[in-house]
């Protein structure tokens, strides 16, 4: 009898563990608020909603995220052209996205805005962690910049059009913070080799591997020529580059950088 107790306890524990629903996290892209919602936004949102509904029906503990990406020079200029503040413009457009998803019956569990205090707090904590681990440094940049794509373009000269959108580029010279992306080339290649399914399909995986092997350059991750963005911790004359900051929404939305336990 004594020998049966540990066995029965183990069974109960295994049963309890088996009874816990498996977690499933899905997110749409967070939509940039430079334009009103259109059919392309609806397509990706409906696709995610369909998957989320199926996972819930299968018994998964499902968390479905959507939201809006609201910082950057393009937003600041669009607001100025409309005679509004950037916050007014982003409030209006983000509300249109959310109202449309509610009207369509989209079953999202959370709606993140990159102008929200929780995202700002969570991202600034992430910045500090990256900085304190030695992967952020201050430097300077001179070159061509495409405001529409929020992107530095190295392959063109002054006055030349952006190779991605065809719009005129602007010559920019400013002090920036940089992320040491070049330090991660070997780790990334090891990941892609050891886990072939990490990037799918295979054609895209091969493209990424070729890109990394060609040499990674450190990434400019701040701007000091405009103000519409999350301030860099301990250096508020800089705002964080939108494409570095906005991607963090997928973890700030579930609790990263907050005092609360992560949802997933």
């Amino acid at each position: 009898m004594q020998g049966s107790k540990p066995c029965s306890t183990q069974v109960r524990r295994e049963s309890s563990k088996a009874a816990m629903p498996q977690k499933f996290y899905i997110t749409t892209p967070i939509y940039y608020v430079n334009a009103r919602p259109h059919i392309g936004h609806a397509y990706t949102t409906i696709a995610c909603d369909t998957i989320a509904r199926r996972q819930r029906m299968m018994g998964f503990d499902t968390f479905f995220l959507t939201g809006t990406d609201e910082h950057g020079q393009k937003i600041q200029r669009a607001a100025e052209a409309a005679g509004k503040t950037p916050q007014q413009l982003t409030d209006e457009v983000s509300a249109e996205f959310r109202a449309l998803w509610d009207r369509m019956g989209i079953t999202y569990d959370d709606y993140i805005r990159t102008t929200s205090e929780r995202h700002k707090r969570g991202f600034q904590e992430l910045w500090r962690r990256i900085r304190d681990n030695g992967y952020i440094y201050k430097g300077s940049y001179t070159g061509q910049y495409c405001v529409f794509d929020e992107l530095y373009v190295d392959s063109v000269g002054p006055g030349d059009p952006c190779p991605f959108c065809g719009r005129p580029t602007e010559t920019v010279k400013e002090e920036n913070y940089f992320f040491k992306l070049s330090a991660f080339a070997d780790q990334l290649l090891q990941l892609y080799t050891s886990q072939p399914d990490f990037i799918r399909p295979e054609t895209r995986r091969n493209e990424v591997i070729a890109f990394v092997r060609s040499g990674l350059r450190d990434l400019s991750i701040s701007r000091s020529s405009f103000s519409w963005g999350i301030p860099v911790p301990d250096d508020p004359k800089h705002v964080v580059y939108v494409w570095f900051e906005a991607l963090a929404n997928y973890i700030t939305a579930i609790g990263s950088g907050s005092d609360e336990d992560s949802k997933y």
Side-chain angles (χ1 to χ4, degrees), residues 164-186:
F164 302 104
C165 69
R167 293 171 174 82
T169 58
E170 301 178 10
T171 302
V172 172
K173 181 177 181 179
E174 63 177 341
E175 179 184 73
N176 291 159
Y177 282 93
F178 288 80
F179 171 64
K180 291 183 180 180
L181 182 62
S182 59
F184 292 89
D186 290 343

Side-chain angles (χ1 to χ4, degrees), residues 23-257:
K23 292 184 176 182
F24 183 83
Y25 178 34
I26 186 169
T27 174
T28 68
I30 53 164
Y31 301 114
Y32 204 43
V33 294
N34 62 314
R36 266 60 187 178
H38 54 66
I39 194 169
H41 300 119
Y43 172 80
T44 52
T45 306
I46 292 170
C48 285
D49 186 55
T50 302
I51 295 170
R53 288 172 185 263
R54 179 179 183 273
Q55 295 302 112
R56 295 188 193 105
M57 290 174 63
M58 294 176 64
F60 286 80
D61 180 8
T62 302
F63 189 81
F64 173 19
L65 176 71
T66 190
T68 45
D69 174 5
E70 304 179 16
H71 288 128
Q73 188 176 21
K74 182 164 51 176
I75 300 299
Q76 182 169 312
R77 289 190 177 181
E80 291 169 353
K84 301 174 181 178
T85 67
Q87 190 66 63
Q88 287 173 327
L89 178 65
T90 56
D91 285 348
E92 291 173 7
V93 180
S94 184
E96 289 188 24
F97 275 93
R98 189 162 193 170
L100 179 59
W101 305 153
D102 290 343
R103 181 180 179 186
M104 293 173 61
I106 302 298
T107 61
Y108 60 89
D109 294 289
D110 198 359
Y111 186 97
I112 185 74
R113 295 183 59 187
T114 58
T115 54
S116 66
E117 189 60 33
R118 61 171 169 153
H119 175 71
K120 174 182 175 182
R121 182 175 59 250
F123 177 78
Q124 288 183 324
E125 176 59 27
L126 176 62
W127 175 287
R128 293 185 182 99
R129 289 172 61 185
I130 298 171
R131 179 197 64 194
D132 294 347
N133 278 288
Y135 292 109
I136 292 178
Y137 65 93
K138 185 180 283 189
S140 61
Y141 174 88
T142 302
Q144 298 307 113
Y145 187 73
C146 175
V147 174
F148 182 82
D149 290 321
E150 301 278 5
L151 182 70
Y152 285 123
V153 184
D154 296 324
S155 59
V156 302
D160 290 342
C162 172
F164 302 104
C165 69
R167 293 171 174 82
T169 58
E170 301 178 10
T171 302
V172 172
K173 181 177 181 179
E174 63 177 341
E175 179 184 73
N176 291 159
Y177 282 93
F178 288 80
F179 171 64
K180 291 183 180 180
L181 182 62
S182 59
F184 292 89
D186 290 343
Q187 291 173 255
L188 290 170
L189 289 173
Q190 183 179 4
L191 171 65
Y192 304 149
T193 302
S194 63
Q195 299 185 37
D197 289 338
F198 187 78
I199 301 176
R200 292 182 294 178
E202 184 179 0
T203 53
R204 294 291 177 252
R205 174 175 167 268
N206 291 338
E207 287 178 6
V208 171
I209 290 174
F211 179 80
V212 175
R213 283 178 175 164
S214 69
L216 294 178
R217 300 177 60 181
D218 292 349
L219 177 67
S220 170
I221 55 171
S222 76
R223 302 289 183 266
S224 55
S225 57
F226 61 93
S227 59
W228 183 240
I230 293 179
V232 168
D234 308 312
D235 195 351
K237 74 175 184 178
H238 287 261
V239 295
V240 181
Y241 174 44
V242 61
W243 292 119
F244 187 65
E245 160 259 310
L247 292 175
N249 90 91
Y250 303 119
I251 59 174
T252 61
I254 56 174
S256 177

